[in-house]
Amino acid sequence: MALPTVTWISMAIAIVALPGVASVALVKSLRSEERKLSLLKKQDKVDSYSPRALAELRDWVEAHPNDPYAPVARERYNECVETLREVEEPYYDWSPEEIDQLDRLD
Amino acid sequence: MTDTEARTAREEWGSRFGFLMAMLGAMVGAGNIWRMPFTTGENGGGAFLVAYILLLFLIAVPGLMAETMIGRYTSNGVIGAFKQVFQTKRAQGLGLVVLVVNVALMSYYSPIIGWALYYAGNSVLFTFTQPGFQPQAFWDGFIANPGLVVGMHTLTMAGIAGVLVFGIRRGIERVVKWMIPLLVVALVAVAVRGVTLPGGMEGVAFVFTPKWEFLTRGSTWVAALSQALFSTGLGWGIALTYGSYLGRYDDVPLGGGLFTAIGNTSIGLLAVFATFPVVFAFGLEPSAGSNLLFISLAKVFPELPGGGLWALVFFVSFFFATFTSGLGITEVGVTTVSEETQFDRTKSVLAVCGVIWLFGLPSAYSTSFLGQMDFIFGSFGLPLATLSIIALVAWKFGPERARIIDLNRNAGIYIGSWWNPVVKYVIPAVMLFIIGYGVVISIGTENQTLMLLGVAVMAALTVVSTVVMSVVGNAPEKISDTGVSVSGGD
């Protein structure tokens, strides 16, 4: 039985949107773990936030200094800053200039 | 090592692959194999898939991110997570609700795994290709034999206990790392065989040809919503529990959210390819549900060249799908009991599996009772559990806090602020709609009494759980050095 074109298109979209996306997510996730393990082996630490996520974390702590979760957030922020200063190769896409501009939160 | 030290050293997944396969295995179950193909075909084929994929990305993916994240953040099971975030004994009752719903769900799911086990066992023995094999008589004989169905239920729970007793890494992870890839390979093989059968492509056409008018029907969207929420296991406590065993450098949104939801549905899509071409090639009734698997397919596989082998591949993979879900559902109870009582893991496994086995006896004995349990807990218990967990993240912890402090930490993909309103408003609204819809469509039907019973049971469960945890719950530890209680979601 010859399938109509619209059926082929519909099937192709389903395959791309489901197994296609799942396969990409799986490969990306496994590669990310591999890279983190290799960095941990080499330098014992890995930065935890991307530049965008860390900037948001800083803004949030500054906007909510008395929030009950602020100490946890501050600790995580400072830990990431310290790690970025100590490691040779960051996991996320940090430039040396961006790292130099980072300050601890007190 | 002292007892205290042993109990504070929390286990972690051994590998990223192990965690992802465990999540996928827990969420892929019987519904993916026998429900998704029919639901797709019945609701407009490609049009349904459009609605379903949209809702999957809009609701299930963000929801699973939220649930896995709160598990990793709190490093606790369901009751412990509520205790840590809400900081009250009473709120731990919502954790108990999730736990009870899981035990109830597993009590009637275990007999279904038992059916899959029985068919997988018989496929290994090549029973289906024996001369004179009668699939309807075989099914009737099995289901009417209390010793056999209870025996399979018992074997299932013994098998699950036998895996869970070894823990996360040496138990669950060791099993799912080969069961899930084998399940995928098996379904691909059966799918290839199916579409190459004479007439098999008609099944593909039935499922994938879009009937766009279905997109204007409310029933299509409700079906897509139900499938997107229930087949992904969102809010059942499994993602929370499995997420609690993630390590500090692990990602949540890419693996726990995107891969789990989309991977789970991908297996549903594979099931479409594996079953519908066969259904159409042999002129079977596509809406037969569980009968499609246990009667119709048992009949047609042996008619294929090398059919005994195809039946083996299919039924063993179906057993893998159900068994790995059983592991996830039961682990919710095991983790919680081992954290909230003095029981070690072995005793917790025995206690939880023993209770599930006991409560599962009526469902094993009577398929009618099983159906009623499914109606009550599937229609009202699971949405209540999902609402409880989403309330924990979205209305107490707060989506902005969750996203900024934890979700984007070590993340494989960045999650923007679009996530906040989805988790805080869209998912709860959808769950309330589904509960309300379930109530409304039952009015005036033969299910009305059961619906009223379901609503009453869930209301009573919420009240009783809250009262019980107010009395027996453990005092929560302070969130921070300030000792300030959290004032509410942002």
Side-chain angles (χ1 to χ4, degrees), chain B residues 325-339:
Chain B
S325 295
L327 290 176
I329 300 167
T330 311
E331 180 58 36
V332 173
V334 171
T335 294
T336 305
V337 168
S338 63
E339 282 173 0

mmCIF file with all atom_site columns, all heavy atoms in Angstrom, chain B residues 325-339:
data_model
loop_
_atom_site.group_PDB
_atom_site.id
_atom_site.type_symbol
_atom_site.label_atom_id
_atom_site.label_alt_id
_atom_site.label_comp_id
_atom_site.label_asym_id
_atom_site.label_entity_id
_atom_site.label_seq_id
_atom_site.pdbx_PDB_ins_code
_atom_site.Cartn_x
_atom_site.Cartn_y
_atom_site.Cartn_z
_atom_site.occupancy
_atom_site.B_iso_or_equiv
_atom_site.pdbx_formal_charge
_atom_site.auth_seq_id
_atom_site.auth_comp_id
_atom_site.auth_asym_id
_atom_site.auth_atom_id
_atom_site.pdbx_PDB_model_num
ATOM 1   N N   . SER B 1 325 ? 8.998  -0.633 35.433 1.00 0.00 ? 325 SER B N   1
ATOM 2   C CA  . SER B 1 325 ? 8.071  0.334  36.046 1.00 0.00 ? 325 SER B CA  1
ATOM 3   C C   . SER B 1 325 ? 7.777  -0.089 37.477 1.00 0.00 ? 325 SER B C   1
ATOM 4   O O   . SER B 1 325 ? 7.708  0.753  38.380 1.00 0.00 ? 325 SER B O   1
ATOM 5   C CB  . SER B 1 325 ? 6.749  0.393  35.287 1.00 0.00 ? 325 SER B CB  1
ATOM 6   O OG  . SER B 1 325 ? 6.960  0.879  34.006 1.00 0.00 ? 325 SER B OG  1
ATOM 7   N N   . GLY B 1 326 ? 7.598  -1.383 37.657 1.00 0.00 ? 326 GLY B N   1
ATOM 8   C CA  . GLY B 1 326 ? 7.349  -1.908 39.003 1.00 0.00 ? 326 GLY B CA  1
ATOM 9   C C   . GLY B 1 326 ? 8.493  -1.566 39.954 1.00 0.00 ? 326 GLY B C   1
ATOM 10  O O   . GLY B 1 326 ? 8.271  -1.231 41.121 1.00 0.00 ? 326 GLY B O   1
ATOM 11  N N   . LEU B 1 327 ? 9.710  -1.625 39.447 1.00 0.00 ? 327 LEU B N   1
ATOM 12  C CA  . LEU B 1 327 ? 10.875 -1.278 40.285 1.00 0.00 ? 327 LEU B CA  1
ATOM 13  C C   . LEU B 1 327 ? 10.779 0.179  40.741 1.00 0.00 ? 327 LEU B C   1
ATOM 14  O O   . LEU B 1 327 ? 10.996 0.494  41.911 1.00 0.00 ? 327 LEU B O   1
ATOM 15  C CB  . LEU B 1 327 ? 12.177 -1.466 39.492 1.00 0.00 ? 327 LEU B CB  1
ATOM 16  C CG  . LEU B 1 327 ? 12.608 -2.904 39.158 1.00 0.00 ? 327 LEU B CG  1
ATOM 17  C CD1 . LEU B 1 327 ? 13.866 -2.889 38.287 1.00 0.00 ? 327 LEU B CD1 1
ATOM 18  C CD2 . LEU B 1 327 ? 12.872 -3.714 40.426 1.00 0.00 ? 327 LEU B CD2 1
ATOM 19  N N   . GLY B 1 328 ? 10.444 1.069  39.789 1.00 0.00 ? 328 GLY B N   1
ATOM 20  C CA  . GLY B 1 328 ? 10.373 2.500  40.114 1.00 0.00 ? 328 GLY B CA  1
ATOM 21  C C   . GLY B 1 328 ? 9.259  2.801  41.103 1.00 0.00 ? 328 GLY B C   1
ATOM 22  O O   . GLY B 1 328 ? 9.465  3.536  42.072 1.00 0.00 ? 328 GLY B O   1
ATOM 23  N N   . ILE B 1 329 ? 8.082  2.220  40.862 1.00 0.00 ? 329 ILE B N   1
ATOM 24  C CA  . ILE B 1 329 ? 6.932  2.505  41.744 1.00 0.00 ? 329 ILE B CA  1
ATOM 25  C C   . ILE B 1 329 ? 7.218  1.988  43.153 1.00 0.00 ? 329 ILE B C   1
ATOM 26  O O   . ILE B 1 329 ? 6.966  2.665  44.142 1.00 0.00 ? 329 ILE B O   1
ATOM 27  C CB  . ILE B 1 329 ? 5.633  1.872  41.174 1.00 0.00 ? 329 ILE B CB  1
ATOM 28  C CG1 . ILE B 1 329 ? 5.328  2.442  39.785 1.00 0.00 ? 329 ILE B CG1 1
ATOM 29  C CG2 . ILE B 1 329 ? 4.460  2.106  42.104 1.00 0.00 ? 329 ILE B CG2 1
ATOM 30  C CD1 . ILE B 1 329 ? 4.266  1.662  39.011 1.00 0.00 ? 329 ILE B CD1 1
ATOM 31  N N   . THR B 1 330 ? 7.781  0.792  43.246 1.00 0.00 ? 330 THR B N   1
ATOM 32  C CA  . THR B 1 330 ? 8.035  0.205  44.567 1.00 0.00 ? 330 THR B CA  1
ATOM 33  C C   . THR B 1 330 ? 9.160  0.935  45.297 1.00 0.00 ? 330 THR B C   1
ATOM 34  O O   . THR B 1 330 ? 9.127  1.082  46.513 1.00 0.00 ? 330 THR B O   1
ATOM 35  C CB  . THR B 1 330 ? 8.374  -1.299 44.424 1.00 0.00 ? 330 THR B CB  1
ATOM 36  O OG1 . THR B 1 330 ? 7.394  -1.907 43.586 1.00 0.00 ? 330 THR B OG1 1
ATOM 37  C CG2 . THR B 1 330 ? 8.374  -1.994 45.759 1.00 0.00 ? 330 THR B CG2 1
ATOM 38  N N   . GLU B 1 331 ? 10.156 1.417  44.539 1.00 0.00 ? 331 GLU B N   1
ATOM 39  C CA  . GLU B 1 331 ? 11.287 2.108  45.173 1.00 0.00 ? 331 GLU B CA  1
ATOM 40  C C   . GLU B 1 331 ? 10.835 3.376  45.903 1.00 0.00 ? 331 GLU B C   1
ATOM 41  O O   . GLU B 1 331 ? 11.448 3.785  46.884 1.00 0.00 ? 331 GLU B O   1
ATOM 42  C CB  . GLU B 1 331 ? 12.363 2.432  44.123 1.00 0.00 ? 331 GLU B CB  1
ATOM 43  C CG  . GLU B 1 331 ? 13.597 3.155  44.652 1.00 0.00 ? 331 GLU B CG  1
ATOM 44  C CD  . GLU B 1 331 ? 14.346 2.408  45.759 1.00 0.00 ? 331 GLU B CD  1
ATOM 45  O OE1 . GLU B 1 331 ? 14.420 1.176  45.713 1.00 0.00 ? 331 GLU B OE1 1
ATOM 46  O OE2 . GLU B 1 331 ? 14.848 3.088  46.682 1.00 0.00 ? 331 GLU B OE2 1
ATOM 47  N N   . VAL B 1 332 ? 9.763  4.001  45.438 1.00 0.00 ? 332 VAL B N   1
ATOM 48  C CA  . VAL B 1 332 ? 9.232  5.186  46.125 1.00 0.00 ? 332 VAL B CA  1
ATOM 49  C C   . VAL B 1 332 ? 8.937  4.829  47.586 1.00 0.00 ? 332 VAL B C   1
ATOM 50  O O   . VAL B 1 332 ? 9.326  5.546  48.514 1.00 0.00 ? 332 VAL B O   1
ATOM 51  C CB  . VAL B 1 332 ? 7.938  5.694  45.435 1.00 0.00 ? 332 VAL B CB  1
ATOM 52  C CG1 . VAL B 1 332 ? 7.284  6.808  46.239 1.00 0.00 ? 332 VAL B CG1 1
ATOM 53  C CG2 . VAL B 1 332 ? 8.254  6.184  44.026 1.00 0.00 ? 332 VAL B CG2 1
ATOM 54  N N   . GLY B 1 333 ? 8.289  3.689  47.785 1.00 0.00 ? 333 GLY B N   1
ATOM 55  C CA  . GLY B 1 333 ? 7.966  3.243  49.141 1.00 0.00 ? 333 GLY B CA  1
ATOM 56  C C   . GLY B 1 333 ? 9.198  2.811  49.905 1.00 0.00 ? 333 GLY B C   1
ATOM 57  O O   . GLY B 1 333 ? 9.360  3.140  51.093 1.00 0.00 ? 333 GLY B O   1
ATOM 58  N N   . VAL B 1 334 ? 10.087 2.091  49.244 1.00 0.00 ? 334 VAL B N   1
ATOM 59  C CA  . VAL B 1 334 ? 11.273 1.555  49.926 1.00 0.00 ? 334 VAL B CA  1
ATOM 60  C C   . VAL B 1 334 ? 12.157 2.699  50.437 1.00 0.00 ? 334 VAL B C   1
ATOM 61  O O   . VAL B 1 334 ? 12.578 2.708  51.607 1.00 0.00 ? 334 VAL B O   1
ATOM 62  C CB  . VAL B 1 334 ? 12.077 0.629  48.976 1.00 0.00 ? 334 VAL B CB  1
ATOM 63  C CG1 . VAL B 1 334 ? 13.410 0.248  49.590 1.00 0.00 ? 334 VAL B CG1 1
ATOM 64  C CG2 . VAL B 1 334 ? 11.261 -0.622 48.661 1.00 0.00 ? 334 VAL B CG2 1
ATOM 65  N N   . THR B 1 335 ? 12.416 3.685  49.576 1.00 0.00 ? 335 THR B N   1
ATOM 66  C CA  . THR B 1 335 ? 13.248 4.826  49.993 1.00 0.00 ? 335 THR B CA  1
ATOM 67  C C   . THR B 1 335 ? 12.609 5.540  51.180 1.00 0.00 ? 335 THR B C   1
ATOM 68  O O   . THR B 1 335 ? 13.272 5.849  52.173 1.00 0.00 ? 335 THR B O   1
ATOM 69  C CB  . THR B 1 335 ? 13.416 5.814  48.814 1.00 0.00 ? 335 THR B CB  1
ATOM 70  O OG1 . THR B 1 335 ? 14.179 5.174  47.796 1.00 0.00 ? 335 THR B OG1 1
ATOM 71  C CG2 . THR B 1 335 ? 14.131 7.083  49.234 1.00 0.00 ? 335 THR B CG2 1
ATOM 72  N N   . THR B 1 336 ? 11.306 5.787  51.081 1.00 0.00 ? 336 THR B N   1
ATOM 73  C CA  . THR B 1 336 ? 10.625 6.530  52.143 1.00 0.00 ? 336 THR B CA  1
ATOM 74  C C   . THR B 1 336 ? 10.610 5.764  53.457 1.00 0.00 ? 336 THR B C   1
ATOM 75  O O   . THR B 1 336 ? 10.915 6.327  54.511 1.00 0.00 ? 336 THR B O   1
ATOM 76  C CB  . THR B 1 336 ? 9.180  6.868  51.693 1.00 0.00 ? 336 THR B CB  1
ATOM 77  O OG1 . THR B 1 336 ? 9.257  7.558  50.444 1.00 0.00 ? 336 THR B OG1 1
ATOM 78  C CG2 . THR B 1 336 ? 8.477  7.740  52.695 1.00 0.00 ? 336 THR B CG2 1
ATOM 79  N N   . VAL B 1 337 ? 10.284 4.487  53.389 1.00 0.00 ? 337 VAL B N   1
ATOM 80  C CA  . VAL B 1 337 ? 10.230 3.695  54.626 1.00 0.00 ? 337 VAL B CA  1
ATOM 81  C C   . VAL B 1 337 ? 11.621 3.605  55.264 1.00 0.00 ? 337 VAL B C   1
ATOM 82  O O   . VAL B 1 337 ? 11.766 3.734  56.483 1.00 0.00 ? 337 VAL B O   1
ATOM 83  C CB  . VAL B 1 337 ? 9.643  2.288  54.347 1.00 0.00 ? 337 VAL B CB  1
ATOM 84  C CG1 . VAL B 1 337 ? 9.843  1.358  55.533 1.00 0.00 ? 337 VAL B CG1 1
ATOM 85  C CG2 . VAL B 1 337 ? 8.167  2.397  54.012 1.00 0.00 ? 337 VAL B CG2 1
ATOM 86  N N   . SER B 1 338 ? 12.654 3.428  54.463 1.00 0.00 ? 338 SER B N   1
ATOM 87  C CA  . SER B 1 338 ? 13.988 3.308  55.060 1.00 0.00 ? 338 SER B CA  1
ATOM 88  C C   . SER B 1 338 ? 14.456 4.636  55.656 1.00 0.00 ? 338 SER B C   1
ATOM 89  O O   . SER B 1 338 ? 15.251 4.652  56.585 1.00 0.00 ? 338 SER B O   1
ATOM 90  C CB  . SER B 1 338 ? 15.002 2.784  54.033 1.00 0.00 ? 338 SER B CB  1
ATOM 91  O OG  . SER B 1 338 ? 15.117 3.692  52.981 1.00 0.00 ? 338 SER B OG  1
ATOM 92  N N   . GLU B 1 339 ? 13.910 5.755  55.155 1.00 0.00 ? 339 GLU B N   1
ATOM 93  C CA  . GLU B 1 339 ? 14.295 7.056  55.732 1.00 0.00 ? 339 GLU B CA  1
ATOM 94  C C   . GLU B 1 339 ? 13.476 7.420  56.965 1.00 0.00 ? 339 GLU B C   1
ATOM 95  O O   . GLU B 1 339 ? 13.991 8.050  57.884 1.00 0.00 ? 339 GLU B O   1
ATOM 96  C CB  . GLU B 1 339 ? 14.068 8.160  54.685 1.00 0.00 ? 339 GLU B CB  1
ATOM 97  C CG  . GLU B 1 339 ? 15.149 8.227  53.630 1.00 0.00 ? 339 GLU B CG  1
ATOM 98  C CD  . GLU B 1 339 ? 14.808 9.210  52.515 1.00 0.00 ? 339 GLU B CD  1
ATOM 99  O OE1 . GLU B 1 339 ? 13.719 9.839  52.574 1.00 0.00 ? 339 GLU B OE1 1
ATOM 100 O OE2 . GLU B 1 339 ? 15.624 9.332  51.608 1.00 0.00 ? 339 GLU B OE2 1
#
